[in-house]
Amino acid sequence: METSSNLRENLPLLNSMINDVGNDSSDEVVEDKALGKKTITFFGSFVLTVNNVSGPGMLALPLVYQTAGYITPTIALIAICIVSSLASTMICEAMALVPGNKKFTERLEFATVIRHYFGQKAYILAQIFYNLSLQTLNISSILVTAQVMDELLVYVFGNSYALQVWPPAFVPAVNKGDDNVVPFVDDNLVFTLGYLICMVICMPMGFLNLDENIYFQYVSFLILVVLLVEFAVQFFLNGIETSYVPLYGEQTTVLGVVIFAYTYVVTIPSWCNEKKDNVSINKAIWVSTLTCTAAYICFGLLGAMAYSSISTGNLLSYMAVNSPPFTTFCVYIFSLGVIGLGIPLFSIIIRYNLYVGGVFGNRWSAFWGTVFPWLVSWLLYQGNGFNNFVNWASLFINGFINFVVPFVLYLKAKSTVWNKKNKFSVNKNYWEQINADEDLDDDGFVEHFSFPPFIEKRKLLLKWIPTVLAIIVSFVIVVNINTDLIYLIFLHEDVVG
């Protein structure tokens, strides 16, 4: 199989890591084995984007609907869907406006686009915060997946085991039987059997390129669709009770959860580099996000109406102890197949950014993107403090990176076009391109503009739309963080997000 051969080609990265430290800096930035090719089809683009959007954020939506009511969560989901889709298309247009990259022939990642428009200092800051955000999300996903694997082992075989670091010993899992299960409850450091199984399965996928990983994303997408249908059936079997969801309620957690549910924008440049030329960026992004938003609303509302008093921000944890055996088994498979198979995507995108940006060579980019998260995550297996940190980092860092930076990049890119010395010549050609409105050229490439022609021709709208969106999103993020602080410090209540 093609995927298996590619996997074998990339695994030597890990085996030769230590021997090549001295020569690593001499790697060429453009190398077939280090970067994927432009082979991702429209369906592959749809699957990849849906998988990137669908993640842990959706699991908190039923609780949000129960506490906040019908109106505001639905409005927030639709609004953030529009904002995230615009942010995604705008960062792609900013990439296309880099000289010589109209057809995305130059390899640009999220941080290197920032370097082109804002210089080296901004690039350094972008690399730090960008990689910090993705690493925390990746480590968080690893922890969730490993814990679920241990829970699955306990559920199927009656037990799981771990190697306790000190005092050295093999210890069995503890099945607590509630909706907040961590199979190993002592404070001692443990390296669990579930963690080992997840590492053996997921780590090798992180050495693949994005276009090669698409086959695993098809599997993840299939699991997502089939199990969402199964969960919907279970919701109806439980009985749908509309009184469980008020018209309007407590709004504290709405924006934090919804913003977290759409933090996929940072993955878009990597996909854009490897999609086929005839794949429309606008169609791929908008179809994917609208589909996910419809699924979010259905899952959130039906889940909220199916259970009288959801006590956790992760509905699957609640369902695991309040459902028939088959649905309980599906809960575990969903966590492993959807969240677990998202881990290699984070690893690949981290590796791409470090490699294309010239921070590290091929092998050490693979180490920091793929190996490092697995080396450190087990140390945090039983810690709640890291999960709280991830929630705050996701809202603050990911909020600004996903929903503010793309608008700023778009404004800078457009202003570069508008400020050319030969304005008439540049603008004339520019309007001719706009009138094409994503028409295919002779070699099948789809021209990309973020807005339809009637907006693209109005410079004032092109300036004000991203500016207003950036200001509103920044205000929402700051207000939400301040609200969380007030609740945590003065009211001592748990904040979902």
Side-chain angles (χ1 to χ4, degrees):
M1 184 179 290
E2 181 182 352
T3 304
S4 300
S5 63
N6 287 327
L7 180 59
R8 289 194 296 271
E9 289 175 7
N10 284 280
L11 282 176
L13 292 175
L14 179 61
N15 299 328
S16 60
M17 190 88 64
I18 299 175
N19 296 329
D20 290 333
V21 173
N23 298 324
D24 194 56
S25 61
S26 63
D27 287 353
E28 294 294 331
V29 173
V30 179
E31 181 180 322
D32 289 343
K33 289 184 179 181
L35 300 170
K37 301 178 179 64
K38 300 173 75 65
T39 59
I40 300 178
T41 63
F42 177 83
F43 181 70
S45 301
F46 172 77
V47 167
L48 190 63
T49 307
V50 167
N51 289 351
N52 282 333
V53 177
S54 304
M58 71 182 298
L59 305 181
L61 291 174
L63 178 60
V64 171
Y65 269 103
Q66 274 197 357
T67 57
Y70 290 96
I71 300 176
T72 49
T74 303
I75 293 174
L77 284 168
I78 295 172
I80 298 300
C81 168
I82 295 171
V83 171
S84 67
S85 300
L86 286 174
S88 298
T89 60
M90 285 183 184
I91 196 170
C92 290
E93 187 167 353
M95 293 170 63
L97 289 175
V98 172
N101 198 44
K102 174 185 174 182
K103 297 186 177 182
F104 303 103
T105 52
E106 302 292 328
R107 188 75 194 208
L108 295 172
E109 295 293 335
F110 190 92
T112 51
V113 177
I114 293 176
R115 177 170 60 188
H116 173 79
Y117 289 111
F118 292 100
Q120 187 68 14
K121 291 182 179 179
Y123 166 73
I124 293 173
L125 288 175
Q127 280 285 17
I128 292 172
F129 287 106
Y130 179 84
N131 286 287
L132 176 63
S133 66
L134 285 181
Q135 288 286 16
T136 54
L137 289 174
N138 207 13
I139 292 173
S140 178
S141 297
I142 289 172
L143 293 175
V144 170
T145 306
Q147 289 172 358
V148 168
M149 178 61 76
D150 281 310
E151 293 170 19
L152 179 61
L153 292 174
V154 173
Y155 180 76
V156 175
F157 300 106
N159 215 337
S160 181
Y161 293 89
L163 175 63
Q164 182 175 281
V165 175
W166 191 261
F170 284 102
V171 295
V174 177
N175 189 356
K176 296 174 64 179
D178 57 27
D179 60 359
N180 188 28
V181 176
V182 177
F184 298 89
V185 297
D186 292 334
D187 293 332
N188 293 333
L189 290 176
V190 291
F191 189 91
T192 74
L193 178 60
Y195 190 96
L196 177 63
I197 293 172
C198 290
M199 183 173 68
V200 171
I201 294 173
C202 296
M203 184 191 287
M205 299 181 196
F207 291 104
L208 299 174
N209 293 326
L210 194 61
D211 60 335
E212 299 163 345
N213 194 266
I214 196 67
Y215 300 105
F216 297 105
Q217 297 311 307
Y218 290 150
V219 175
S220 180
F221 179 76
L222 180 63
I223 293 173
L224 174 69
V225 173
V226 171
L227 294 190
L228 282 180
V229 171
E230 198 283 335
F231 294 156
V233 171
Q234 186 59 50
F235 294 157
F236 281 102
L237 290 176
N238 285 358
I240 299 299
E241 180 56 63
T242 58
S243 62
Y244 293 162
V245 181
L247 183 64
Y248 188 85
E250 173 58 52
Q251 305 299 312
T252 306
T253 63
V254 173
L255 289 174
V257 171
V258 172
I259 287 175
F260 178 63
Y262 286 92
T263 53
Y264 70 94
V265 180
V266 290
T267 66
I268 292 298
S270 297
W271 158 75
C272 192
N273 286 318
E274 298 185 16
K275 72 174 185 66
K276 285 188 171 182
D277 285 343
N278 62 355
V279 174
S280 166
I281 292 174
N282 285 336
K283 291 177 183 177
I285 290 174
W286 282 99
V287 171
S288 302
T289 54
L290 290 173
T291 300
C292 287
T293 301
Y296 275 176
I297 294 172
C298 292
F299 181 80
L301 276 173
L302 293 177
M305 294 177 184
Y307 298 96
S308 60
S309 55
I310 300 173
S311 58
T312 174
N314 182 347
L315 182 66
L316 296 186
S317 295
Y318 187 82
M319 291 175 63
V321 293
N322 292 280
S323 300
F326 181 74
T327 299
T328 300
F329 181 76
C330 290
V331 164
Y332 293 135
I333 298 302
F334 184 94
S335 298
L336 297 172
V338 176
I339 299 176
L341 288 180
I343 295 170
L345 290 181
F346 287 124
S347 297
I348 291 168
I349 292 168
I350 292 170
R351 170 164 61 89
Y352 278 1
N353 271 272
L354 292 173
Y355 183 60
V356 173
V359 179
F360 296 107
N362 184 13
R363 293 178 176 86
W364 282 100
S365 296
F367 171 80
W368 290 110
T370 305
V371 181
F372 174 75
W374 290 100
L375 290 181
V376 301
S377 296
W378 69 275
L379 299 171
L380 304 162
Y381 181 91
Q382 299 179 93
N384 292 323
F386 180 77
N387 290 331
N388 293 331
F389 169 73
V390 168
N391 290 337
W392 281 64
S394 296
L395 182 60
F396 183 73
I397 300 176
N398 281 330
F400 280 103
I401 287 179
N402 282 273
F403 301 111
V404 177
V405 172
F407 298 133
V408 176
L409 283 171
Y410 176 82
L411 286 169
K412 181 67 173 179
K414 284 291 194 181
S415 66
T416 302
V417 173
W418 294 328
N419 292 334
K420 294 287 186 180
K421 291 183 179 179
N422 190 357
K423 292 183 179 179
F424 176 79
S425 175
V426 171
N427 287 340
K428 180 179 179 181
N429 294 331
Y430 183 65
W431 301 132
E432 289 174 355
Q433 292 174 355
I434 290 172
N435 287 327
D437 189 24
E438 288 203 333
D439 287 336
L440 291 172
D441 63 12
D442 293 337
D443 58 0
F445 177 76
V446 179
E447 192 79 29
H448 173 63
F449 298 99
S450 300
F451 296 99
F454 73 90
I455 294 180
E456 285 284 352
K457 292 180 179 180
R458 292 163 174 80
K459 187 187 297 185
L460 187 61
L461 283 177
L462 294 182
K463 288 181 177 180
W464 276 104
I465 290 175
T467 301
V468 171
L469 288 176
I471 292 173
I472 291 175
V473 172
S474 300
F475 176 78
V476 166
I477 293 172
V478 172
V479 169
N480 198 82
I481 291 174
N482 288 336
T483 303
D484 285 359
L485 278 173
I486 292 172
Y487 267 71
L488 287 172
I489 295 173
F490 297 104
L491 301 180
H492 305 286
E493 295 182 8
D494 292 330
V495 178
V496 177

